[in-house]
Amino acid sequence: MRTVTPSAYVTHACRPPLTGAYDRRIALTEPESEIPPAREERLRRLLDLGHALTSELRLDAVLEQILETARALTGARFAAVGILDERRRELSAFITSGVEPRVAEAIGHLPRGHGILGLLIDQPEPIRLHDVSEHPRSYGFPPGHPPMHSFLGAPIRIRGEAWGNIYLTEKEGGADFDDEDVRAIVALADWAAVAIRNARIFEDSEARRLELERAVRAMEVSAEIALALGDQNDLGHILELIAERALVLVGADSLLILLHDRDNLRVMAQAGDVHAMSESTVPVDGSTSGQAFTTQSPQRVDDASEGLASTADVFGLPDAHSALIVPLVFRGRALGVLSAFNHGGARKSFDEGDERALRAFAASAATAVSSARTVEEQRLRDSVAAAEAERKRWARDLHDDTLQGLGAIKLALASSLRAGPEIARAIVEGTIDLVVEEIAGLREVIADLRPAALDELGLEPALRTLAGRVAEREQLTLELSLDLGPVRLPPDVEVAAYRVTQEALTNIVRHAEATRVELSASCDGETLRLRVTDDGRGIQGAPTGGLGLVGMRERAALAGGEVQVEGGATGTTVSLTLPVLSDTNGSTA
């Protein structure tokens, strides 16, 4: 026989059969040659456990296997693993085995690491006790706690640092834990350290992988929004695209986009399982969304019923249980917020990874929103400018033609009052001719403003009348090729096509110095195509803003179409394309 006294095997004893009242070191004996069958079985089970633990990468499964094996090896009724906090002063988690759920519920809160458990934290070495309640550090047990006497504990060290402890109590038959139990629990703690470290490495790598996947998804959706912004700048479409992509990015059930509107945040887009009322609002002051907007910092809410200052019912989300609200910030100015609700259908909260992903995505989304808003504002300014230019043109025409003609009539009638009968008669007869000319001029102005032919007969007759009148007045050679069919087109399509043609002919008369004009128009039931071509001096070097191009493009855009102007040193072509919707009977709506 040989005696082994490893420094790790330190034992506290309270009564026989352990020697001494509080012996700090015990002698463990083992045979020099033969290994008892019981010990051989323990070694086999430890080896099997080691193999199983090294292949298991889930921490909860690792801890469960450790506890079950510890109970089987030592005959303990109860087993537990206590996980230390970052300061290694208290327990941050406590996992048990052998305690029935109803008993655990009756006990209440889990231990924090005081009493005997604290002794093992303070002195991370194996501890054996005959009766845990008789130790001076014992705090006793809370109501409902099962009786416990014999005790065995050992630290779990990972790379030399204490990570947690294994606790065993109530050895079967009322016996004390022996030397073999100490050897087994120490070996088990070593295996546990290896397995836990592997599990933690795996969890860390999985967390990094998920974080990278989130980052890649955020980059992909940001790129998609950037491409969409390049194709078209409709704010509503951009907001819908942002909502749909953000919903998938963070795995939310519902997502809302709220933009700032005076003292409120207004719902402008939604995606997922949400039915918010159109443009519902929440106040900036006193709401969680308003807090995220005002402070420009994300807000994570674990319990939406208590954590949302404004009720989720406003958003059409009465069953919301968690939320993540991230501000949309562009160049230091908050535009609104992204509000995600219910993480992946489960009752769990959004985590830091979700927050980082949505925050990074929100930066790109805010840029897209700001750009789309700028385009809309510029479009409105262009529309107002075009309308103002058109008003100036009509005012100039009325002033230069109609008002001057009426002034001449006034002077002629005034002079007739001072003349003799014969002269007065001649003046009045001449004045009648002037009145007839002015009436014709006013009719042209009225026709330009709203031609009766367009209302009564349709687009093709109105275009023929308009082009014919301009060609006759300006002595232009006119070629017409109109094939719009007998069916009336939608009013907005007819008005847009007429106004673009009118503006194109006006530009030809005023700027092109042309002698020949071609006007063609056709409709296939889905698309109207119209072209106005001249042989004038072209638009090269001309100020496009003064040629009414903004007005033409704005009219076409309002009807869902587009205008293209082509020309160089000689000749100009204005092309108009407008969509035409048809109903099921084949006639245009």
Side-chain angles (χ1 to χ4, degrees), residues 22-23 217 299 315 334 348 389 402 425 444 493 515 567:
Y22 295 99
D23 289 343
R217 286 201 303 268
Q299 301 291 320
F315 301 138
K348 64 178 182 178
T402 304
R425 181 181 179 83
E444 284 194 14
V493 173
T515 60

Side-chain angles (χ1 to χ4, degrees), residues 243 254-258 267 269-271 274 276 315-317 337-341:
S254 311
L255 189 132
L256 298 173
I257 297 179
L258 295 87
V267 176
Q270 51 189 289
V274 59
F315 301 138
L317 292 164
V337 296
L338 297 177
S339 298
F341 296 91

Side-chain angles (χ1 to χ4, degrees), residues 57-381:
L57 296 175
R58 293 174 298 121
L59 183 57
D60 55 347
V62 167
L63 296 178
E64 181 180 349
Q65 283 186 298
I66 290 171
L67 293 177
E68 292 301 320
T69 303
R71 290 175 59 198
L73 289 176
T74 63
R77 181 180 177 188
F78 304 110
V81 169
I83 301 173
L84 299 179
D85 60 14
E86 293 181 356
R87 298 182 305 151
R88 297 183 175 83
R89 301 297 302 168
E90 290 186 343
L91 298 178
S92 62
F94 196 78
I95 301 93
T96 64
S97 175
V99 180
E100 296 181 3
R102 61 180 181 81
V103 175
E105 184 177 353
I107 295 173
H109 65 84
L110 297 175
R112 305 298 300 174
H114 304 295
I116 299 301
L117 302 187
L119 177 63
L120 193 57
I121 295 175
D122 296 337
Q123 303 174 13
E125 297 176 342
I127 296 175
R128 272 191 298 174
L129 296 176
H130 170 70
D131 191 336
V132 67
S133 62
E134 295 183 0
H135 195 280
R137 291 281 296 266
S138 177
Y139 270 36
F141 300 106
H145 198 285
M148 293 183 179
H149 299 91
S150 56
F151 175 88
L152 174 60
I156 299 175
R157 294 186 181 89
I158 297 178
R159 288 190 168 181
E161 293 185 350
W163 179 86
N165 300 302
I166 301 179
Y167 311 108
L168 303 173
T169 61
E170 287 298 284
K171 186 175 176 67
E172 61 186 2
D176 292 315
F177 292 101
D178 57 22
D179 294 348
E180 293 296 330
D181 296 327
V182 175
R183 291 191 182 92
I185 201 66
V186 169
L188 183 60
D190 291 340
W191 277 121
V194 175
I196 290 169
R197 182 170 179 268
N198 289 341
R200 290 173 68 182
I201 292 173
F202 174 75
E203 287 185 347
D204 290 343
S205 65
E206 279 295 286
R208 287 193 293 271
R209 182 183 65 81
L210 293 175
E211 191 69 19
L212 288 173
E213 287 182 355
R214 283 173 175 157
V216 170
R217 286 201 303 268
M219 293 175 61
E220 289 175 346
V221 296
S222 297
E224 186 176 356
I225 290 175
L227 291 174
L229 191 61
D231 293 338
Q232 55 86 39
N233 293 294
D234 179 67
L235 179 59
H237 179 78
I238 293 295
L239 291 175
E240 289 178 2
L241 181 61
I242 291 173
E244 291 171 357
R245 298 303 181 264
L247 178 82
V248 176
L249 179 64
V250 296
D253 285 353
S254 311
L255 189 132
L256 298 173
I257 297 179
L258 295 87
L259 297 184
H260 185 226
D261 182 12
R262 296 183 179 88
D263 296 329
N264 297 313
L265 291 169
R266 187 177 298 276
V267 176
M268 301 300 294
Q270 51 189 289
D273 187 15
V274 59
H275 305 286
M277 295 181 62
S278 177
E279 297 196 348
S280 302
T281 61
V282 293
V284 172
D285 294 335
S287 67
T288 307
S289 298
Q291 184 178 358
F293 173 81
T294 304
T295 62
Q296 297 187 13
S297 59
Q299 301 291 320
R300 273 190 283 156
V301 180
D302 295 336
D303 187 353
S305 63
E306 298 180 359
L308 284 181
S310 59
T311 175
D313 291 340
V314 175
F315 301 138
L317 292 164
D319 298 327
H321 51 75
S322 62
L324 172 60
I325 304 172
V326 174
L328 290 167
V329 181
F330 179 72
R331 292 182 178 177
R333 183 170 67 92
L335 307 177
V337 296
L338 297 177
S339 298
F341 296 91
N342 297 354
H343 192 269
R347 299 195 66 85
K348 64 178 182 178
S349 302
F350 295 93
D351 58 23
E352 292 183 4
D354 298 318
E355 180 180 317
R356 285 194 297 270
L358 192 58
R359 193 171 187 176
F361 173 72
S364 299
T367 303
V369 171
S370 180
S371 299
R373 273 187 164 179
T374 300
V375 170
E376 281 199 343
E377 291 169 358
Q378 185 60 46
R379 183 179 297 167
L380 179 60
R381 286 193 292 268

